[in-house]
Amino acid sequence: MANLKEIKLQISSVKGTQKTTRAMKLVSQAKLKRAEELAKRSRVYAQKLDELVSEIAYEINQNKVGGSDSRFVQADLPVKTVDIICVTADKGLCGGFNVTTLKTTLKLIREYKDQRVAVRLRVVGRKAIDFLKYNGIEMVDEVIGLSASPDYKKAAEFIDVSLQDFAIGKTDRVVLIYNGFKNMLTQEQRVLQLLPVDISTIEERELKSSIEYEPEGHEELLNALLKKYVEYSMYYGLLDSLAAEHSARMQAMDNATKNASERVNELTVQYNKARQESITTELIEIISGVEALK
């Protein structure tokens, strides 16, 4: 059994770790509230944008033979090259948050390669970048800092490369992968096809907006809105991922704090047993010494 000094040092060390994990949990909890509120506000805008895109696409399908000519909405395009955008955190200590996204990304890459589809990997987040570099997996683009501090302009600049390549036929599909926020205790893996946007399933609905369109302006307006839709989807994905990251880190630090508390209790019991043994040994030595003097 370890001596008393070693056990006391272990208890002190674990208590120090416990203070750190408790503080990190509180920090993540505060950041989560801000990130969750921002994501909620952004979700409302995203939903309204989606409604407007759906409305215009529906009118085009109704009024134009063969539907829209825009490449952005041609769901039956032959897929030869795919852009996969993987979003992870820049930091760790958040449980399986990053690992889940990386596993999903690698699985999707294998599926496309089995179909003999070329994959271009574009990555946001230091954790994914470090992992992919270590495993020798090629990336065509990488950015650090965007997942930790989402910015609409930077997100739009990042996704615009994929938009332009898709528009000229360099790629045939754009897929976004990230871990999204579901609630305080749960994250949800999201795999979203950003391009092409599938409007073939849009059903007839009562038009909600009061906007009037010129017949020849539908296609131009649809393309402009789809560009905005994809850019905002990228931005919202970053916000959603950030909220999920703070949620995952809060849980991980809470579990670490509880584990530290349990370890302190175990070490305290061990210390008390060692102290009792030490006292018993000393008593036996004293009694033995007294008996020897008789």
Side-chain angles (χ1 to χ4, degrees):
M1 183 176 288
N3 61 44
L4 294 174
K5 186 176 180 180
E6 289 176 349
I7 298 174
K8 285 184 73 174
L9 286 173
Q10 288 183 46
I11 292 174
S12 177
S13 175
V14 174
K15 283 184 175 179
T17 302
Q18 188 180 34
K19 288 180 181 178
T20 301
T21 56
R22 186 182 289 114
M24 290 181 69
K25 174 194 171 182
L26 294 174
V27 170
S28 294
Q29 194 170 10
K31 289 182 176 180
L32 172 60
K33 289 180 180 178
R34 294 196 296 270
E36 185 182 3
E37 182 60 31
L38 183 57
K40 283 181 178 178
R41 293 201 303 266
S42 301
R43 190 181 301 124
V44 174
Y45 180 86
Q47 288 171 347
K48 293 298 181 183
L49 185 59
D50 181 58
E51 287 176 6
L52 188 56
V53 169
S54 298
E55 179 180 319
I56 296 172
Y58 175 73
E59 284 207 2
I60 292 176
N61 283 344
Q62 288 291 100
N63 301 324
K64 185 173 181 180
V65 177
S68 173
D69 295 327
S70 173
R71 178 175 168 81
F72 290 155
V73 296
Q74 292 178 12
D76 58 347
L77 287 173
V79 181
K80 297 180 180 179
T81 304
V82 174
D83 258 5
I84 294 180
I85 300 172
C86 172
V87 178
T88 65
D90 287 329
K91 299 177 181 179
L93 297 176
C94 46
F97 176 81
N98 296 311
V99 175
T100 304
T101 301
L102 287 168
K103 284 183 177 179
T104 302
T105 301
L106 294 176
K107 180 182 177 183
L108 190 60
I109 290 173
R110 287 194 296 270
E111 289 175 358
Y112 276 124
K113 287 187 175 180
D114 289 342
Q115 299 169 21
R116 298 190 177 182
V117 174
V119 174
R120 302 195 323 172
L121 191 56
R122 309 184 66 223
V123 183
V124 179
R126 185 187 300 274
K127 285 299 175 180
I129 293 169
D130 290 346
F131 173 83
L132 295 169
K133 283 183 177 178
Y134 179 80
N135 287 278
I137 299 174
E138 184 181 356
M139 296 171 282
V140 298
D141 197 4
E142 58 187 72
V143 60
I144 294 173
L146 188 56
S147 59
S149 182
D151 178 83
Y152 180 81
K153 184 178 180 181
K154 292 179 180 178
E157 289 174 355
F158 180 81
I159 197 64
D160 276 349
V161 177
S162 291
L163 272 165
Q164 293 170 14
D165 287 348
F166 182 85
I168 63 176
K170 194 171 182 180
T171 59
D172 307 300
R173 185 174 293 175
V174 179
V175 179
L176 174 64
I177 302 174
Y178 67 94
N179 225 343
F181 178 81
K182 188 173 183 180
N183 54 51
M184 293 285 285
L185 300 176
T186 311
Q187 299 80 48
E188 188 174 59
Q189 188 71 182
R190 309 199 198 283
V191 181
L192 308 177
Q193 180 177 307
L194 298 183
L195 290 171
V197 178
D198 187 4
I199 63 172
S200 62
T201 58
I202 296 174
E203 299 177 354
E204 184 175 358
R205 67 172 81 180
E206 181 182 353
L207 301 184
K208 296 182 179 180
S209 73
S210 57
I211 300 174
E212 295 183 1
Y213 317 100
E214 293 295 333
E216 64 274 11
H218 279 82
E219 290 285 351
E220 185 178 349
L221 180 58
L222 179 63
N223 285 336
L225 281 173
L226 284 171
K227 182 176 182 293
K228 179 68 69 175
Y229 172 78
V230 172
E231 289 176 351
Y232 203 83
S233 294
M234 181 70 213
Y235 174 62
Y236 176 73
L238 292 169
L239 293 176
D240 197 21
S241 176
L242 182 61
E245 177 191 341
H246 290 316
S247 171
R249 184 170 290 111
M250 186 182 71
Q251 291 177 68
M253 293 302 99
D254 183 51
N255 290 334
T257 302
K258 290 177 181 177
N259 291 338
S261 180
E262 291 175 3
R263 182 57 180 159
V264 168
N265 291 336
E266 290 173 0
L267 288 170
T268 301
V269 171
Q270 188 177 339
Y271 176 82
N272 291 335
K273 287 182 177 179
R275 187 165 175 271
Q276 287 175 351
E277 288 182 7
S278 176
I279 292 171
T280 302
T281 301
E282 289 177 3
L283 287 173
I284 291 173
E285 289 175 351
I286 292 170
I287 294 171
S288 298
V290 171
E291 291 293 328
L293 292 174
K294 290 181 179 180

